[in-house]
Amino acid sequence: MGKKLDSVKINLNSEKIEAPARGNYHHGDLRGALINAAEDILAERGVEGFSLREAARRAGVSPAAPAHHFGDARGLLTAVATRGFERLETALTEAQQELRDPRARLRAQGHAYVRFATANPAHFNLMWRRALLDNDDAHLQEAGRAAFALLDEAAADLSAAPKNAPSPGALAAWSIVHGYARLILDGALGDAPPELLDQVLDRLTLLQPHSA
Amino acid sequence: MGKKLDSVKINLNSEKIEAPARGNYHHGDLRGALINAAEDILAERGVEGFSLREAARRAGVSPAAPAHHFGDARGLLTAVATRGFERLETALTEAQQELRDPRARLRAQGHAYVRFATANPAHFNLMWRRALLDNDDAHLQEAGRAAFALLDEAAADLSAAPKNAPSPGALAAWSIVHGYARLILDGALGDAPPELLDQVLDRLTLLQPHSA
DNA sequence: TGTACATCAGTGAACGCGCGTTCACTGATGTAC
DNA sequence: TGTACATCAGTGAACGCGCGTTCACTGATGTAC
């Protein structure tokens, strides 16, 4: 006990000299640090290379620590996916916010959707790997709902379909941007030139028969 | 040695009575049996639950045996994916074979594409997980090329684009059916009624501006 | 037709590895008095 | 303002597991003579 008290004193003294040495036992924001670590791992190795131990290692914490915040690996991945949906919603919102023409809004959202996927492949890939996530998680559900309400709305504005049900036009629009994004991420298109995306997006508004 | 000779004689005798007892050491078609086992595992557990040992176990063979045919797990998965692309090509070919109208052909291929994905989720999912496959494998490359040449052709027939480059119209068509299939498989659409697919496919021909 | 031998497809025990999870524990924090 | 104590966030050693791969081997097949 005496020895331990001494070492505590030494820590307290050195704290005055070098500030970042403090707070080693309680991390402060371990939850956030683990999410960041998980994102890094996913970006580097893909979801195959992810493990809870590795995330703990990168956060500088013992392998048992993450359980306090996320329960298990699924819980951590669910938090990462939730953050992904939130960012997607932000991207979609920003893309359309100053546009009034419904056609222009749909096109801008389509572009933003594909851009989000290519800029955040780790998130985008994970968001659709539902077998790895806790699909009953309330935050995940809400984040997903919010993101797709935007796309749905944009397409509904263009068609005569009732607002409550997902219209075929909205679904077609979602399918085309999702399909394009997936093909890019899965490497099926090789080095597709940027104008190819523009040309595909030109066809987005063609999908809405009532607007022609 | 004498004992072994005896047991061989017993085997030979019993062979006349029950035929299937023979040929236990050399499997006969271990390659095919391992591919079948892998398909079963993928269908049951998804690609996360796949392992080479489990495939060997199901084929009734020691864990080291698959190496003789596939090298490693990647090799076996590549063979499964190749079979998937071959089946997709068959499905696309059959869907269009008696149709002459270019619009009808494109629509039929789109329908066949989505139907293939939902009927063969294990294959379809794997076919796009390129990180798990040996993408330099000649059989895989050829099977993939052959399947997509068909879709490309069907869309090119509808547009004025030159035949050699993938036209934006073809890519848009591929994107929409691929996106729809992925959304279904990833559970994003819940229990989508079949007519929804028909309505989305109605829009396939709208994507080809030069044909309107 | 028979025999020797090379080749190949399989065995099964063993290896080291990283994983998720459990366990009894301890250090820091915040709250009640 | 000080002290006691409950609570919570972390430790780190240990567990059992299934994995891919290696290893020396052996049984079956096919071919040359």
Side-chain angles (χ1 to χ4, degrees), chain B residues 15-35:
Chain B
E15 182 195 355
K16 296 173 185 171
I17 303 172
E18 41 186 351
R22 200 199 73 112
N24 277 343
Y25 200 96
H26 280 141
H27 183 287
D29 183 24
L30 181 53
R31 189 188 150 83
L34 284 169
I35 293 181

Side-chain angles (χ1 to χ4, degrees), chain A residues 5-176:
Chain A
L5 246 163
D6 281 350
S7 69
V8 165
K9 277 182 185 172
I10 290 170
N11 276 344
L12 286 174
N13 284 340
S14 68
E15 181 193 355
K16 295 173 187 170
I17 303 172
E18 40 187 350
R22 200 199 74 112
N24 277 341
Y25 199 98
H26 279 139
H27 184 285
D29 184 23
L30 181 52
R31 189 188 149 82
L34 284 168
I35 293 181
N36 288 336
E39 289 173 343
D40 289 347
I41 298 170
L42 292 173
E44 283 172 31
R45 313 187 185 172
V47 81
E48 327 295 331
F50 173 81
S51 80
L52 200 52
R53 282 186 100 103
E54 175 67 14
R57 215 173 286 133
R58 294 194 183 205
V61 112
S62 86
H68 287 283
H69 296 274
F70 298 104
D72 55 11
R74 178 180 305 268
L76 176 49
L77 290 177
T78 300
V80 173
T82 301
R83 192 186 269 190
F85 278 116
E86 289 165 353
R87 287 188 190 167
L88 175 58
E89 189 204 348
T90 302
L92 294 178
T93 302
E94 288 178 356
Q96 62 159 24
Q97 65 187 1
E98 293 190 350
L99 301 173
R100 304 218 56 81
D101 174 39
R103 274 198 185 83
R105 294 178 67 154
L106 180 60
R107 193 183 202 288
Q109 283 202 35
H111 198 97
Y113 190 95
V114 176
R115 199 174 41 213
F116 171 84
T118 52
N120 306 274
H123 285 96
F124 190 79
N125 283 323
L126 179 65
M127 284 153 65
W128 304 106
R129 302 292 301 280
R130 299 191 69 192
L132 304 177
L133 307 176
D134 175 10
N135 296 292
D136 294 334
D137 181 87
H139 295 102
L140 178 65
Q141 286 183 349
E142 171 53 22
R145 196 207 51 74
F148 293 109
L150 281 171
L151 262 189
D152 211 49
E153 218 175 278
D157 283 348
L158 266 187
S159 79
K163 294 251 177 186
N164 46 3
S167 72
L171 185 50
W174 185 12
S175 293
I176 204 169

Side-chain angles (χ1 to χ4, degrees), chain A residues 113 124-125 127-130 171 174-175 177-183 185-186, chain B residues 113-114 117-118 120-129 174-190:
Chain A
Y113 190 95
F124 190 79
N125 283 323
M127 284 153 65
W128 304 106
R129 302 292 301 280
R130 299 191 69 192
L171 185 50
W174 185 12
S175 293
V177 292
H178 189 73
Y180 190 90
R182 280 249 55 100
L183 291 172
L185 289 189
D186 291 338
Chain B
Y113 190 96
V114 176
T118 53
N120 305 276
H123 284 94
F124 191 79
N125 283 323
L126 179 64
M127 284 153 64
W128 303 104
R129 302 291 301 279
W174 186 12
S175 293
I176 203 169
V177 293
H178 189 72
Y180 190 90
R182 281 250 54 101
L183 290 172
I184 290 278
L185 290 189
D186 292 337
L189 301 186

